[in-house]
């Protein structure tokens, strides 16, 4: 079946198309109801260097690690963010109430002229509830400090010379992330509608063939109810009697067929004797 014939066949079946649309709507409703909402909590930590320990450092900039931040500390923050991707950290986050999905990214300077890393690490954790997401973010903050200490201890850095983690922004209350339900409804609805449409397309030739066989089983009657064989026999008889040797044009043949069909139908409705059956002929005209 050609594409144009298939399209016409589908448009002649509004009930089937309505069923496809209904299946799509039901699929969208199922996707909406089955999608679970995910919550996210965010926090920011800062890696700071140790305070000055030289003799006489009782005050001034040397004793304040917050004014001694440099690019080396930014590199340490990047190392810590990489360390937070380990299985040990993921296990701790899940145990705190998260779903195991989280991120730890160092922040860059907003100044395009500088465009360098900062000692800040942005932490994001998700969970099935607002409280679970917040606890997961808090676990990430704790793991930042744990992993930083582990890195420095493994490098034999003395405790008095180790950098440490301070919380720059505490974990926020979990908020719903994105439009998970809308996406699930859209994807499921489109998939259900598409599958239903494919099924309708596959069944259309079968339905058409079944309808055609039904018409054949009905002795191939014309729309008026008159047998096509009777119409053809009448036309052959009239052609034989006319003695015409020139074939009819297509338009003339259609007109003759309609005229014969109408006369037979009128004869059937009136209850009169049916038009006499034609004699056997040797050659036939177009019908």
């Amino acid at each position: 079946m050609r594409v144009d014939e298939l399209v016409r066949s589908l448009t002649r079946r509004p009930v089937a198309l309505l069923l496809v649309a209904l299946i799509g709507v039901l699929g969208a409703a199922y996707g909406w109801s089955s999608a679970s909402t995910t919550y996210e909590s965010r926090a920011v930590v800062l890696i700071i260097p140790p305070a000055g320990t030289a003799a006489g450092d009782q005050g001034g900039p040397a004793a304040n690690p917050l004014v001694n931040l440099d690019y080396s500390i930014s590199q340490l923050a990047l190392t810590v963010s990489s360390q937070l991707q380990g299985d040990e950290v993921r296990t701790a986050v899940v145990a705190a109430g998260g779903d195991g999905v989280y991120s730890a990214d160092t922040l860059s300077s907003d100044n395009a002229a500088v465009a360098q890393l900062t000692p800040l690490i942005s932490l994001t954790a998700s969970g099935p509830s607002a409280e679970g997401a917040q606890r997961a973010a808090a676990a990430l903050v704790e793991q930042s400090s744990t992993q930083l200490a582990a890195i420095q201890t493994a490098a034999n850095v003395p405790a008095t010379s180790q950098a440490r983690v301070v919380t720059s922004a505490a974990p926020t209350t979990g908020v719903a992330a994105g439009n998970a339900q809308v996406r699930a409804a859209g994807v499921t609805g489109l998939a259900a509608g598409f599958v239903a449409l494919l099924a309708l397309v596959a069944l259309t030739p079968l339905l058409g063939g079944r309808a055609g066989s039904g018409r054949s089983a009905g002795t191939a009657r014309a729309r008026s109810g008159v047998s096509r064989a009777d119409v053809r026999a009448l036309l052959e008889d009239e052609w034989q009697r006319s003695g015409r040797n020139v074939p009819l044009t297509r338009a003339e043949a259609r007109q003759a067929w309609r005229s014969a069909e109408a006369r037979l139908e009128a004869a059937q409705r009136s209850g009169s004797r049916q038009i006499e059956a034609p004699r056997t002929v040797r050659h036939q005209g177009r019908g």
Side-chain angles (χ1 to χ4, degrees):
M1 182 178 290
R2 296 182 303 177
V3 175
D4 56 343
E5 295 177 350
L6 182 60
V7 172
R8 286 196 298 270
S9 178
L10 291 177
T11 54
R12 288 195 298 267
R13 293 180 171 86
V15 176
L17 293 178
L18 182 61
L19 180 61
V20 171
L22 179 60
I23 292 175
V25 172
L26 292 177
Y30 174 78
W32 177 277
S33 61
S34 61
S36 57
T37 302
T38 301
Y39 296 85
E40 286 185 352
S41 176
R42 300 177 184 274
V44 178
V45 296
L46 173 66
I47 309 297
I48 61 174
T53 57
D57 283 344
Q58 300 299 323
N64 186 353
L66 294 177
V67 299
N68 291 313
L69 302 176
D70 56 20
Y71 187 69
S72 299
I73 299 300
S74 301
Q75 290 297 313
L76 182 56
L78 180 60
T79 304
V80 173
S81 67
S82 301
Q83 191 78 4
L84 289 174
Q85 306 303 323
D87 292 337
E88 178 185 352
V89 177
R90 191 176 306 277
T91 301
V93 170
V94 172
D99 56 11
V101 178
Y102 65 89
S103 63
D105 303 303
T106 53
L107 299 180
S108 300
S109 172
D110 293 332
N111 188 343
V114 179
Q116 69 178 18
L117 295 175
T118 67
L120 294 168
I121 303 177
S122 175
L123 306 173
T124 302
S126 63
S129 65
E131 296 78 9
Q134 189 173 28
R135 290 195 302 269
L140 266 180
V141 172
E142 182 179 353
Q143 283 296 314
S144 299
S145 181
T146 301
Q147 296 303 318
L148 176 60
I151 292 172
Q152 296 177 103
T153 301
N156 297 320
V157 178
T160 56
S161 300
Q162 290 187 3
R164 58 193 180 91
V165 172
V166 295
T167 303
S168 178
T172 61
T173 302
V175 295
N179 297 317
Q181 288 181 310
V182 175
R183 288 196 300 269
V187 171
T188 309
L190 288 175
F194 183 70
V195 171
L197 184 59
L198 287 181
L200 178 60
V201 169
L203 292 176
T204 294
L206 299 179
L207 296 176
R210 188 171 297 177
S213 63
R215 287 193 296 270
S216 299
T219 66
R221 293 186 174 274
R223 295 176 183 177
S224 61
V226 177
S227 170
R228 297 174 65 89
D230 290 343
V231 177
R232 186 178 296 107
L234 177 60
L235 288 174
E236 291 174 353
D237 182 64
E238 291 179 346
W239 175 267
Q240 182 69 22
R241 291 179 182 181
S242 68
R244 179 172 176 173
N245 294 324
V246 180
L248 299 176
T249 65
R250 186 181 297 273
E252 290 173 338
R254 281 199 295 264
Q255 180 62 34
W257 183 278
R258 286 194 292 265
S259 176
E261 187 179 36
R263 281 181 284 141
L264 286 173
E265 184 182 7
Q268 287 183 359
R269 284 201 304 265
S270 64
S272 62
R273 184 176 60 86
Q274 201 172 33
I275 296 178
E276 183 178 330
R279 298 186 300 274
T280 304
V281 296
R282 284 190 299 272
H283 87 252
Q284 301 176 358
R286 294 187 180 179

